[in-house]
Amino acid sequence: MKTKVNCFRGRFFMIAIMVLMVAISGCSTNMGASSGDQADGQASKKENSLVIARLSDVENLDHHFMSTINAASVTHGKIYEGLVGRDKNAKIKPLLAKEWEQLDETTWEFKLRDDVSFHDGSAFNAEAVKKTFDRLTDPKVASPRAVVFKMVKEVKVVDDHTVQFLLSEPFSPLLSILASHEGGIISPKTIEKYGKDIIQEPVGTGPFVFKSWETGKEIVFNRNDKYWGDQPTISEVVFKVVPEETTRISMLETGEAHIAEPLSVTMMDSVKASNNVEVYRSEGFGTEYVGFNVQKKPFNDVRVRKAISHAVEMDSIMKGVFNNIGKKANSLLGSKVFGYHPDMKSYEYNVNEAKRLLAEAGYPDGFKTTLLTMDSKERISLAEVMQSQLKGIGIDLEIQIQEYGSFVEQATSGNSEMFIISWRNATGDADYNQYNLFHSNSHGPAGNTFFYSNDEVDQLIEQARSEMDQEKRLELYAKSQELEMEDAVYIPVRVIENMAAIRNNVKDFSISPAGYLEINDISIQ
């Protein structure tokens, strides 16, 4: 196997886990106390401090420059809040705006709360809302997230607590975008301080206040004791970067941490066997998939992309790699997303057809290429299975494994050929998927890491986002998804299932379908 990182596999990996769990249960560094006493003792010392052990650090803390839900899940709803949010059933609810009205096809008016202030003491008002979106859409700032609000012509201050969004064209999913992290409102003082530079010390209106960020190690928030809404019961939250999963799980066992995420399929059974730790699972909006950079040879030939799509046997991958956790995907939309196309068909496994297409494209003996993936166990395993399967049609696949930040940078810069990636879909609306991943305006950090362009697809996406009739929107999205599949831009793998390990004394933790960590209601018992 050709990889750039060596990882434990098979029996050796499971033996290592067993040895670790035995060591945890049989040893203690707490003055000779038993493991149970140690766990309870460490947890009680900081009963109001929530510690979350995470696979990777954020790329930044500025919602206008974030390109991943991994980063947004730390700050969204905690530091920053939007005009609207989502309830536990993912329905739009009032937040910083107490009510709103669509005055006409291109004018939305929001009535703002008058009892909110930013963490720095400055007033939350219509002017603050305007400053946030003016910065986001300013070409000089060059925010990669500006693309999601490209239809906003102006944010107009009507009075101190009334603001209007004037659109250049109708935009049906506006509320769903405002409820995502891109809609978070930033303190005007912070905007004045950082301007077009990435914000290093985030200041919002949320229930937690930024304290510190030690890059690659930890981020710390304190409770906002002047929060306008319901106060969290926890006084502090610490996001610790712990790349090794066995270490993250051992931190739960010893009481050093309360939540470990993400949880891999391979570790799930070990966690289930623990007396102190439980498995959290929920279905997400997003999907995992294998993408092609369609501007790189030989993937600029659709026949090559179709050949590889036919050569991947996904049923065995779902069983062998993912233990059938998460639904097999038929597109890049999860089944809970508005615009999901239940009748979409991905490419069937057919090695003979794959060989025929490769020969037709001028590669009868195959070729050598690379597959880029981040350093998660399932994705490395997926890459290895694909490496084996593609040998059957003569493709020599070299696997490149990188830590998360480097992986994102390489994929979004276009410096890849094939890649394993996911798209979480922050809004639950197909527009967030279709415009970011497939529109020609979204190449690179905005989401279109395929570097794909199709004029007809662009037109369908634009029509769907301006169409107010929801049934017609569904028809337009169905057509755009069919064209994308015909162009074999990607190979769908599975609908994401949010998984985490949590100590059994942690109550009311959840991960939203979009992938945001929901911690505001957590209690530690």
Side-chain angles (χ1 to χ4, degrees), residues 265 281 288-289 312-330 378 381-382 385-386 389 491-497:
V265 171
R281 297 174 62 178
E288 287 180 293
Y289 55 96
V312 176
E313 208 287 283
M314 197 57 65
D315 287 336
S316 63
I317 287 173
M318 285 299 300
K319 182 178 180 181
V321 174
F322 298 108
N323 197 24
N324 290 321
I325 292 174
K327 299 175 183 175
K328 187 170 121 175
N330 67 339
E378 288 99 338
S381 295
L382 170 58
V385 174
M386 287 188 61
Q389 290 183 352
I491 304 172
V493 179
R494 66 167 185 157
V495 176
I496 290 173
E497 183 157 330

PDB file of all heavy atoms in Angstrom, residues 265 281 288-289 312-330 378 381-382 385-386 389 491-497:
ATOM      1  N   VAL A 265     -16.397   4.769  13.734  1.00  0.00           N
ATOM      2  CA  VAL A 265     -17.119   3.495  13.734  1.00  0.00           C
ATOM      3  C   VAL A 265     -16.325   2.432  14.477  1.00  0.00           C
ATOM      4  O   VAL A 265     -16.885   1.632  15.239  1.00  0.00           O
ATOM      5  CB  VAL A 265     -17.399   3.047  12.288  1.00  0.00           C
ATOM      6  CG1 VAL A 265     -17.944   1.630  12.260  1.00  0.00           C
ATOM      7  CG2 VAL A 265     -18.363   4.007  11.608  1.00  0.00           C
ATOM      8  N   ARG A 281     -25.559   9.546  18.775  1.00  0.00           N
ATOM      9  CA  ARG A 281     -25.733   9.407  17.327  1.00  0.00           C
ATOM     10  C   ARG A 281     -26.933  10.245  16.874  1.00  0.00           C
ATOM     11  O   ARG A 281     -27.959  10.295  17.551  1.00  0.00           O
ATOM     12  CB  ARG A 281     -25.988   7.944  16.928  1.00  0.00           C
ATOM     13  CG  ARG A 281     -24.845   7.014  17.231  1.00  0.00           C
ATOM     14  CD  ARG A 281     -25.211   5.563  16.962  1.00  0.00           C
ATOM     15  NE  ARG A 281     -25.542   5.313  15.559  1.00  0.00           N
ATOM     16  CZ  ARG A 281     -25.857   4.115  15.074  1.00  0.00           C
ATOM     17  NH1 ARG A 281     -25.905   3.055  15.892  1.00  0.00           N
ATOM     18  NH2 ARG A 281     -26.128   3.957  13.798  1.00  0.00           N
ATOM     19  N   GLU A 288     -20.832  12.347   2.930  1.00  0.00           N
ATOM     20  CA  GLU A 288     -19.430  12.128   2.582  1.00  0.00           C
ATOM     21  C   GLU A 288     -19.386  11.655   1.138  1.00  0.00           C
ATOM     22  O   GLU A 288     -20.284  10.941   0.679  1.00  0.00           O
ATOM     23  CB  GLU A 288     -18.806  11.074   3.489  1.00  0.00           C
ATOM     24  CG  GLU A 288     -18.558  11.567   4.903  1.00  0.00           C
ATOM     25  CD  GLU A 288     -17.944  10.495   5.775  1.00  0.00           C
ATOM     26  OE1 GLU A 288     -18.638   9.509   6.053  1.00  0.00           O
ATOM     27  OE2 GLU A 288     -16.781  10.656   6.179  1.00  0.00           O
ATOM     28  N   TYR A 289     -18.322  12.031   0.430  1.00  0.00           N
ATOM     29  CA  TYR A 289     -18.245  11.668  -0.984  1.00  0.00           C
ATOM     30  C   TYR A 289     -16.800  11.680  -1.464  1.00  0.00           C
ATOM     31  O   TYR A 289     -15.910  12.229  -0.798  1.00  0.00           O
ATOM     32  CB  TYR A 289     -19.092  12.621  -1.837  1.00  0.00           C
ATOM     33  CG  TYR A 289     -18.757  14.086  -1.658  1.00  0.00           C
ATOM     34  CD1 TYR A 289     -17.883  14.746  -2.523  1.00  0.00           C
ATOM     35  CD2 TYR A 289     -19.312  14.828  -0.612  1.00  0.00           C
ATOM     36  CE1 TYR A 289     -17.583  16.082  -2.361  1.00  0.00           C
ATOM     37  CE2 TYR A 289     -19.015  16.161  -0.436  1.00  0.00           C
ATOM     38  CZ  TYR A 289     -18.146  16.795  -1.317  1.00  0.00           C
ATOM     39  OH  TYR A 289     -17.853  18.121  -1.148  1.00  0.00           O
ATOM     40  N   VAL A 312     -16.209   1.368  -8.319  1.00  0.00           N
ATOM     41  CA  VAL A 312     -16.265   1.394  -6.856  1.00  0.00           C
ATOM     42  C   VAL A 312     -17.520   0.654  -6.388  1.00  0.00           C
ATOM     43  O   VAL A 312     -18.631   1.017  -6.771  1.00  0.00           O
ATOM     44  CB  VAL A 312     -16.269   2.842  -6.332  1.00  0.00           C
ATOM     45  CG1 VAL A 312     -16.415   2.851  -4.816  1.00  0.00           C
ATOM     46  CG2 VAL A 312     -14.982   3.560  -6.746  1.00  0.00           C
ATOM     47  N   GLU A 313     -17.304  -0.383  -5.584  1.00  0.00           N
ATOM     48  CA  GLU A 313     -18.422  -1.196  -5.085  1.00  0.00           C
ATOM     49  C   GLU A 313     -18.797  -0.681  -3.696  1.00  0.00           C
ATOM     50  O   GLU A 313     -18.168  -1.020  -2.698  1.00  0.00           O
ATOM     51  CB  GLU A 313     -17.983  -2.666  -5.041  1.00  0.00           C
ATOM     52  CG  GLU A 313     -19.137  -3.659  -5.205  1.00  0.00           C
ATOM     53  CD  GLU A 313     -20.011  -3.717  -3.963  1.00  0.00           C
ATOM     54  OE1 GLU A 313     -19.586  -4.340  -2.992  1.00  0.00           O
ATOM     55  OE2 GLU A 313     -21.116  -3.130  -3.993  1.00  0.00           O
ATOM     56  N   MET A 314     -19.846   0.166  -3.665  1.00  0.00           N
ATOM     57  CA  MET A 314     -20.150   0.905  -2.441  1.00  0.00           C
ATOM     58  C   MET A 314     -20.796   0.049  -1.362  1.00  0.00           C
ATOM     59  O   MET A 314     -20.639   0.318  -0.171  1.00  0.00           O
ATOM     60  CB  MET A 314     -21.042   2.104  -2.783  1.00  0.00           C
ATOM     61  CG  MET A 314     -21.079   3.161  -1.689  1.00  0.00           C
ATOM     62  SD  MET A 314     -19.421   3.792  -1.265  1.00  0.00           S
ATOM     63  CE  MET A 314     -18.965   4.605  -2.798  1.00  0.00           C
ATOM     64  N   ASP A 315     -21.534  -0.986  -1.724  1.00  0.00           N
ATOM     65  CA  ASP A 315     -22.175  -1.817  -0.702  1.00  0.00           C
ATOM     66  C   ASP A 315     -21.146  -2.465   0.224  1.00  0.00           C
ATOM     67  O   ASP A 315     -21.334  -2.504   1.447  1.00  0.00           O
ATOM     68  CB  ASP A 315     -23.047  -2.902  -1.354  1.00  0.00           C
ATOM     69  CG  ASP A 315     -24.322  -2.331  -1.952  1.00  0.00           C
ATOM     70  OD1 ASP A 315     -24.761  -1.247  -1.507  1.00  0.00           O
ATOM     71  OD2 ASP A 315     -24.882  -2.963  -2.875  1.00  0.00           O
ATOM     72  N   SER A 316     -20.060  -2.956  -0.350  1.00  0.00           N
ATOM     73  CA  SER A 316     -19.021  -3.572   0.485  1.00  0.00           C
ATOM     74  C   SER A 316     -18.306  -2.523   1.322  1.00  0.00           C
ATOM     75  O   SER A 316     -17.876  -2.804   2.449  1.00  0.00           O
ATOM     76  CB  SER A 316     -18.016  -4.335  -0.390  1.00  0.00           C
ATOM     77  OG  SER A 316     -17.331  -3.455  -1.263  1.00  0.00           O
ATOM     78  N   ILE A 317     -18.189  -1.302   0.806  1.00  0.00           N
ATOM     79  CA  ILE A 317     -17.581  -0.215   1.574  1.00  0.00           C
ATOM     80  C   ILE A 317     -18.462   0.152   2.757  1.00  0.00           C
ATOM     81  O   ILE A 317     -17.988   0.333   3.881  1.00  0.00           O
ATOM     82  CB  ILE A 317     -17.336   1.013   0.667  1.00  0.00           C
ATOM     83  CG1 ILE A 317     -16.163   0.725  -0.277  1.00  0.00           C
ATOM     84  CG2 ILE A 317     -17.061   2.265   1.501  1.00  0.00           C
ATOM     85  CD1 ILE A 317     -15.925   1.777  -1.328  1.00  0.00           C
ATOM     86  N   MET A 318     -19.767   0.240   2.518  1.00  0.00           N
ATOM     87  CA  MET A 318     -20.695   0.579   3.598  1.00  0.00           C
ATOM     88  C   MET A 318     -20.621  -0.451   4.730  1.00  0.00           C
ATOM     89  O   MET A 318     -20.633  -0.096   5.909  1.00  0.00           O
ATOM     90  CB  MET A 318     -22.119   0.678   3.071  1.00  0.00           C
ATOM     91  CG  MET A 318     -22.412   1.941   2.275  1.00  0.00           C
ATOM     92  SD  MET A 318     -22.205   3.457   3.246  1.00  0.00           S
ATOM     93  CE  MET A 318     -23.411   3.198   4.549  1.00  0.00           C
ATOM     94  N   LYS A 319     -20.506  -1.714   4.358  1.00  0.00           N
ATOM     95  CA  LYS A 319     -20.460  -2.766   5.364  1.00  0.00           C
ATOM     96  C   LYS A 319     -19.079  -2.878   6.005  1.00  0.00           C
ATOM     97  O   LYS A 319     -18.955  -2.919   7.238  1.00  0.00           O
ATOM     98  CB  LYS A 319     -20.858  -4.106   4.736  1.00  0.00           C
ATOM     99  CG  LYS A 319     -20.888  -5.259   5.731  1.00  0.00           C
ATOM    100  CD  LYS A 319     -21.341  -6.555   5.067  1.00  0.00           C
ATOM    101  CE  LYS A 319     -21.355  -7.705   6.077  1.00  0.00           C
ATOM    102  NZ  LYS A 319     -21.776  -8.982   5.438  1.00  0.00           N
ATOM    103  N   GLY A 320     -18.049  -2.927   5.187  1.00  0.00           N
ATOM    104  CA  GLY A 320     -16.711  -3.189   5.701  1.00  0.00           C
ATOM    105  C   GLY A 320     -16.050  -2.006   6.363  1.00  0.00           C
ATOM    106  O   GLY A 320     -15.318  -2.158   7.348  1.00  0.00           O
ATOM    107  N   VAL A 321     -16.286  -0.800   5.839  1.00  0.00           N
ATOM    108  CA  VAL A 321     -15.641   0.399   6.380  1.00  0.00           C
ATOM    109  C   VAL A 321     -16.509   1.064   7.445  1.00  0.00           C
ATOM    110  O   VAL A 321     -16.025   1.457   8.500  1.00  0.00           O
ATOM    111  CB  VAL A 321     -15.319   1.405   5.252  1.00  0.00           C
ATOM    112  CG1 VAL A 321     -14.775   2.712   5.834  1.00  0.00           C
ATOM    113  CG2 VAL A 321     -14.320   0.804   4.267  1.00  0.00           C
ATOM    114  N   PHE A 322     -17.807   1.176   7.157  1.00  0.00           N
ATOM    115  CA  PHE A 322     -18.691   1.952   8.033  1.00  0.00           C
ATOM    116  C   PHE A 322     -19.631   1.106   8.878  1.00  0.00           C
ATOM    117  O   PHE A 322     -20.442   1.647   9.631  1.00  0.00           O
ATOM    118  CB  PHE A 322     -19.505   2.936   7.189  1.00  0.00           C
ATOM    119  CG  PHE A 322     -18.665   3.942   6.453  1.00  0.00           C
ATOM    120  CD1 PHE A 322     -18.501   3.857   5.078  1.00  0.00           C
ATOM    121  CD2 PHE A 322     -18.017   4.944   7.141  1.00  0.00           C
ATOM    122  CE1 PHE A 322     -17.728   4.774   4.387  1.00  0.00           C
ATOM    123  CE2 PHE A 322     -17.234   5.875   6.462  1.00  0.00           C
ATOM    124  CZ  PHE A 322     -17.087   5.794   5.086  1.00  0.00           C
ATOM    125  N   ASN A 323     -19.527  -0.229   8.744  1.00  0.00           N
ATOM    126  CA  ASN A 323     -20.377  -1.123   9.541  1.00  0.00           C
ATOM    127  C   ASN A 323     -21.848  -0.749   9.388  1.00  0.00           C
ATOM    128  O   ASN A 323     -22.643  -0.843  10.322  1.00  0.00           O
ATOM    129  CB  ASN A 323     -19.964  -1.084  11.017  1.00  0.00           C
ATOM    130  CG  ASN A 323     -20.504  -2.269  11.796  1.00  0.00           C
ATOM    131  OD1 ASN A 323     -20.789  -3.327  11.223  1.00  0.00           O
ATOM    132  ND2 ASN A 323     -20.666  -2.103  13.093  1.00  0.00           N
ATOM    133  N   ASN A 324     -22.202  -0.269   8.181  1.00  0.00           N
ATOM    134  CA  ASN A 324     -23.574   0.141   7.829  1.00  0.00           C
ATOM    135  C   ASN A 324     -24.118   1.248   8.735  1.00  0.00           C
ATOM    136  O   ASN A 324     -25.330   1.375   8.926  1.00  0.00           O
ATOM    137  CB  ASN A 324     -24.523  -1.065   7.846  1.00  0.00           C
ATOM    138  CG  ASN A 324     -24.250  -2.019   6.689  1.00  0.00           C
ATOM    139  OD1 ASN A 324     -23.958  -1.579   5.573  1.00  0.00           O
ATOM    140  ND2 ASN A 324     -24.318  -3.312   6.953  1.00  0.00           N
ATOM    141  N   ILE A 325     -23.220   2.059   9.259  1.00  0.00           N
ATOM    142  CA  ILE A 325     -23.631   3.228  10.037  1.00  0.00           C
ATOM    143  C   ILE A 325     -23.693   4.430   9.105  1.00  0.00           C
ATOM    144  O   ILE A 325     -22.713   4.775   8.452  1.00  0.00           O
ATOM    145  CB  ILE A 325     -22.657   3.485  11.202  1.00  0.00           C
ATOM    146  CG1 ILE A 325     -22.772   2.359  12.221  1.00  0.00           C
ATOM    147  CG2 ILE A 325     -22.936   4.838  11.854  1.00  0.00           C
ATOM    148  CD1 ILE A 325     -21.766   2.432  13.332  1.00  0.00           C
ATOM    149  N   GLY A 326     -24.844   5.074   9.040  1.00  0.00           N
ATOM    150  CA  GLY A 326     -25.083   6.132   8.069  1.00  0.00           C
ATOM    151  C   GLY A 326     -25.658   5.535   6.805  1.00  0.00           C
ATOM    152  O   GLY A 326     -25.199   4.506   6.327  1.00  0.00           O
ATOM    153  N   LYS A 327     -26.691   6.165   6.253  1.00  0.00           N
ATOM    154  CA  LYS A 327     -27.340   5.635   5.052  1.00  0.00           C
ATOM    155  C   LYS A 327     -26.440   5.780   3.828  1.00  0.00           C
ATOM    156  O   LYS A 327     -25.708   6.758   3.697  1.00  0.00           O
ATOM    157  CB  LYS A 327     -28.647   6.384   4.798  1.00  0.00           C
ATOM    158  CG  LYS A 327     -29.680   6.271   5.906  1.00  0.00           C
ATOM    159  CD  LYS A 327     -30.883   7.153   5.590  1.00  0.00           C
ATOM    160  CE  LYS A 327     -31.901   7.126   6.715  1.00  0.00           C
ATOM    161  NZ  LYS A 327     -33.022   8.068   6.464  1.00  0.00           N
ATOM    162  N   LYS A 328     -26.507   4.810   2.941  1.00  0.00           N
ATOM    163  CA  LYS A 328     -25.806   4.928   1.667  1.00  0.00           C
ATOM    164  C   LYS A 328     -26.396   6.107   0.897  1.00  0.00           C
ATOM    165  O   LYS A 328     -27.613   6.227   0.759  1.00  0.00           O
ATOM    166  CB  LYS A 328     -25.951   3.634   0.864  1.00  0.00           C
ATOM    167  CG  LYS A 328     -25.112   3.606  -0.413  1.00  0.00           C
ATOM    168  CD  LYS A 328     -25.130   2.204  -1.010  1.00  0.00           C
ATOM    169  CE  LYS A 328     -25.681   2.234  -2.392  1.00  0.00           C
ATOM    170  NZ  LYS A 328     -25.600   0.915  -3.057  1.00  0.00           N
ATOM    171  N   ALA A 329     -25.540   6.997   0.405  1.00  0.00           N
ATOM    172  CA  ALA A 329     -26.008   8.212  -0.267  1.00  0.00           C
ATOM    173  C   ALA A 329     -26.262   7.962  -1.746  1.00  0.00           C
ATOM    174  O   ALA A 329     -25.594   7.138  -2.371  1.00  0.00           O
ATOM    175  CB  ALA A 329     -24.985   9.324  -0.099  1.00  0.00           C
ATOM    176  N   ASN A 330     -27.234   8.697  -2.294  1.00  0.00           N
ATOM    177  CA  ASN A 330     -27.478   8.645  -3.730  1.00  0.00           C
ATOM    178  C   ASN A 330     -27.173   9.992  -4.385  1.00  0.00           C
ATOM    179  O   ASN A 330     -27.306  10.146  -5.600  1.00  0.00           O
ATOM    180  CB  ASN A 330     -28.930   8.240  -4.023  1.00  0.00           C
ATOM    181  CG  ASN A 330     -29.931   9.300  -3.585  1.00  0.00           C
ATOM    182  OD1 ASN A 330     -29.626  10.138  -2.740  1.00  0.00           O
ATOM    183  ND2 ASN A 330     -31.114   9.263  -4.153  1.00  0.00           N
ATOM    184  N   GLU A 378     -11.994   6.169   9.339  1.00  0.00           N
ATOM    185  CA  GLU A 378     -12.906   5.667   8.306  1.00  0.00           C
ATOM    186  C   GLU A 378     -12.465   6.090   6.920  1.00  0.00           C
ATOM    187  O   GLU A 378     -12.527   5.309   5.968  1.00  0.00           O
ATOM    188  CB  GLU A 378     -14.334   6.153   8.551  1.00  0.00           C
ATOM    189  CG  GLU A 378     -15.026   5.500   9.727  1.00  0.00           C
ATOM    190  CD  GLU A 378     -14.974   6.391  10.957  1.00  0.00           C
ATOM    191  OE1 GLU A 378     -14.077   7.258  11.016  1.00  0.00           O
ATOM    192  OE2 GLU A 378     -15.820   6.211  11.853  1.00  0.00           O
ATOM    193  N   SER A 381      -9.541   4.120   5.750  1.00  0.00           N
ATOM    194  CA  SER A 381      -9.993   2.778   5.364  1.00  0.00           C
ATOM    195  C   SER A 381     -10.719   2.814   4.026  1.00  0.00           C
ATOM    196  O   SER A 381     -10.526   1.934   3.175  1.00  0.00           O
ATOM    197  CB  SER A 381     -10.913   2.205   6.440  1.00  0.00           C
ATOM    198  OG  SER A 381     -10.219   2.012   7.652  1.00  0.00           O
ATOM    199  N   LEU A 382     -11.564   3.831   3.824  1.00  0.00           N
ATOM    200  CA  LEU A 382     -12.256   3.991   2.546  1.00  0.00           C
ATOM    201  C   LEU A 382     -11.250   4.140   1.416  1.00  0.00           C
ATOM    202  O   LEU A 382     -11.385   3.512   0.354  1.00  0.00           O
ATOM    203  CB  LEU A 382     -13.186   5.208   2.609  1.00  0.00           C
ATOM    204  CG  LEU A 382     -13.812   5.675   1.285  1.00  0.00           C
ATOM    205  CD1 LEU A 382     -14.624   4.566   0.631  1.00  0.00           C
ATOM    206  CD2 LEU A 382     -14.689   6.903   1.527  1.00  0.00           C
ATOM    207  N   VAL A 385      -9.688   0.751   0.590  1.00  0.00           N
ATOM    208  CA  VAL A 385     -10.583  -0.136  -0.162  1.00  0.00           C
ATOM    209  C   VAL A 385     -10.667   0.316  -1.616  1.00  0.00           C
ATOM    210  O   VAL A 385     -10.626  -0.498  -2.547  1.00  0.00           O
ATOM    211  CB  VAL A 385     -11.979  -0.186   0.487  1.00  0.00           C
ATOM    212  CG1 VAL A 385     -12.942  -0.987  -0.400  1.00  0.00           C
ATOM    213  CG2 VAL A 385     -11.903  -0.813   1.872  1.00  0.00           C
ATOM    214  N   MET A 386     -10.778   1.631  -1.834  1.00  0.00           N
ATOM    215  CA  MET A 386     -10.813   2.145  -3.200  1.00  0.00           C
ATOM    216  C   MET A 386      -9.516   1.829  -3.941  1.00  0.00           C
ATOM    217  O   MET A 386      -9.523   1.498  -5.125  1.00  0.00           O
ATOM    218  CB  MET A 386     -11.070   3.645  -3.193  1.00  0.00           C
ATOM    219  CG  MET A 386     -12.489   4.033  -2.830  1.00  0.00           C
ATOM    220  SD  MET A 386     -12.791   5.785  -3.072  1.00  0.00           S
ATOM    221  CE  MET A 386     -12.485   5.960  -4.836  1.00  0.00           C
ATOM    222  N   GLN A 389      -9.884  -1.705  -5.024  1.00  0.00           N
ATOM    223  CA  GLN A 389     -10.902  -1.895  -6.059  1.00  0.00           C
ATOM    224  C   GLN A 389     -10.457  -1.333  -7.412  1.00  0.00           C
ATOM    225  O   GLN A 389     -10.712  -1.936  -8.460  1.00  0.00           O
ATOM    226  CB  GLN A 389     -12.214  -1.250  -5.626  1.00  0.00           C
ATOM    227  CG  GLN A 389     -12.910  -1.977  -4.475  1.00  0.00           C
ATOM    228  CD  GLN A 389     -14.246  -1.352  -4.106  1.00  0.00           C
ATOM    229  OE1 GLN A 389     -14.618  -0.287  -4.594  1.00  0.00           O
ATOM    230  NE2 GLN A 389     -14.974  -2.023  -3.223  1.00  0.00           N
ATOM    231  N   ILE A 491     -18.550  10.760  -6.435  1.00  0.00           N
ATOM    232  CA  ILE A 491     -19.117   9.456  -6.091  1.00  0.00           C
ATOM    233  C   ILE A 491     -19.727   9.582  -4.697  1.00  0.00           C
ATOM    234  O   ILE A 491     -19.004   9.788  -3.715  1.00  0.00           O
ATOM    235  CB  ILE A 491     -18.045   8.348  -6.077  1.00  0.00           C
ATOM    236  CG1 ILE A 491     -17.309   8.285  -7.410  1.00  0.00           C
ATOM    237  CG2 ILE A 491     -18.673   6.996  -5.739  1.00  0.00           C
ATOM    238  CD1 ILE A 491     -16.102   7.352  -7.395  1.00  0.00           C
ATOM    239  N   PRO A 492     -21.057   9.516  -4.564  1.00  0.00           N
ATOM    240  CA  PRO A 492     -21.657   9.617  -3.233  1.00  0.00           C
ATOM    241  C   PRO A 492     -21.301   8.412  -2.383  1.00  0.00           C
ATOM    242  O   PRO A 492     -21.284   7.280  -2.870  1.00  0.00           O
ATOM    243  CB  PRO A 492     -23.161   9.683  -3.529  1.00  0.00           C
ATOM    244  CG  PRO A 492     -23.319   9.006  -4.851  1.00  0.00           C
ATOM    245  CD  PRO A 492     -22.060   9.280  -5.621  1.00  0.00           C
ATOM    246  N   VAL A 493     -21.023   8.634  -1.105  1.00  0.00           N
ATOM    247  CA  VAL A 493     -20.665   7.544  -0.206  1.00  0.00           C
ATOM    248  C   VAL A 493     -21.795   7.300   0.793  1.00  0.00           C
ATOM    249  O   VAL A 493     -22.521   6.322   0.683  1.00  0.00           O
ATOM    250  CB  VAL A 493     -19.333   7.808   0.512  1.00  0.00           C
ATOM    251  CG1 VAL A 493     -18.998   6.655   1.472  1.00  0.00           C
ATOM    252  CG2 VAL A 493     -18.200   7.973  -0.509  1.00  0.00           C
ATOM    253  N   ARG A 494     -21.960   8.196   1.752  1.00  0.00           N
ATOM    254  CA  ARG A 494     -22.996   7.967   2.761  1.00  0.00           C
ATOM    255  C   ARG A 494     -23.491   9.283   3.348  1.00  0.00           C
ATOM    256  O   ARG A 494     -22.792  10.299   3.333  1.00  0.00           O
ATOM    257  CB  ARG A 494     -22.494   7.081   3.886  1.00  0.00           C
ATOM    258  CG  ARG A 494     -21.393   7.703   4.719  1.00  0.00           C
ATOM    259  CD  ARG A 494     -21.142   6.944   6.005  1.00  0.00           C
ATOM    260  NE  ARG A 494     -20.165   7.641   6.832  1.00  0.00           N
ATOM    261  CZ  ARG A 494     -20.048   7.493   8.145  1.00  0.00           C
ATOM    262  NH1 ARG A 494     -20.838   6.652   8.788  1.00  0.00           N
ATOM    263  NH2 ARG A 494     -19.148   8.158   8.835  1.00  0.00           N
ATOM    264  N   VAL A 495     -24.712   9.231   3.860  1.00  0.00           N
ATOM    265  CA  VAL A 495     -25.253  10.353   4.613  1.00  0.00           C
ATOM    266  C   VAL A 495     -24.534  10.392   5.958  1.00  0.00           C
ATOM    267  O   VAL A 495     -24.400   9.365   6.627  1.00  0.00           O
ATOM    268  CB  VAL A 495     -26.774  10.204   4.814  1.00  0.00           C
ATOM    269  CG1 VAL A 495     -27.322  11.332   5.687  1.00  0.00           C
ATOM    270  CG2 VAL A 495     -27.493  10.172   3.465  1.00  0.00           C
ATOM    271  N   ILE A 496     -24.070  11.565   6.335  1.00  0.00           N
ATOM    272  CA  ILE A 496     -23.302  11.704   7.576  1.00  0.00           C
ATOM    273  C   ILE A 496     -24.171  11.383   8.783  1.00  0.00           C
ATOM    274  O   ILE A 496     -25.308  11.835   8.887  1.00  0.00           O
ATOM    275  CB  ILE A 496     -22.741  13.132   7.706  1.00  0.00           C
ATOM    276  CG1 ILE A 496     -21.642  13.357   6.666  1.00  0.00           C
ATOM    277  CG2 ILE A 496     -22.203  13.387   9.111  1.00  0.00           C
ATOM    278  CD1 ILE A 496     -21.148  14.775   6.608  1.00  0.00           C
ATOM    279  N   GLU A 497     -23.619  10.609   9.677  1.00  0.00           N
ATOM    280  CA  GLU A 497     -24.241  10.392  10.971  1.00  0.00           C
ATOM    281  C   GLU A 497     -23.340  11.033  12.018  1.00  0.00           C
ATOM    282  O   GLU A 497     -22.170  10.681  12.148  1.00  0.00           O
ATOM    283  CB  GLU A 497     -24.437   8.902  11.266  1.00  0.00           C
ATOM    284  CG  GLU A 497     -25.160   8.670  12.574  1.00  0.00           C
ATOM    285  CD  GLU A 497     -25.842   7.305  12.639  1.00  0.00           C
ATOM    286  OE1 GLU A 497     -26.248   6.785  11.603  1.00  0.00           O
ATOM    287  OE2 GLU A 497     -25.958   6.781  13.752  1.00  0.00           O
TER     288      GLU A 497
END
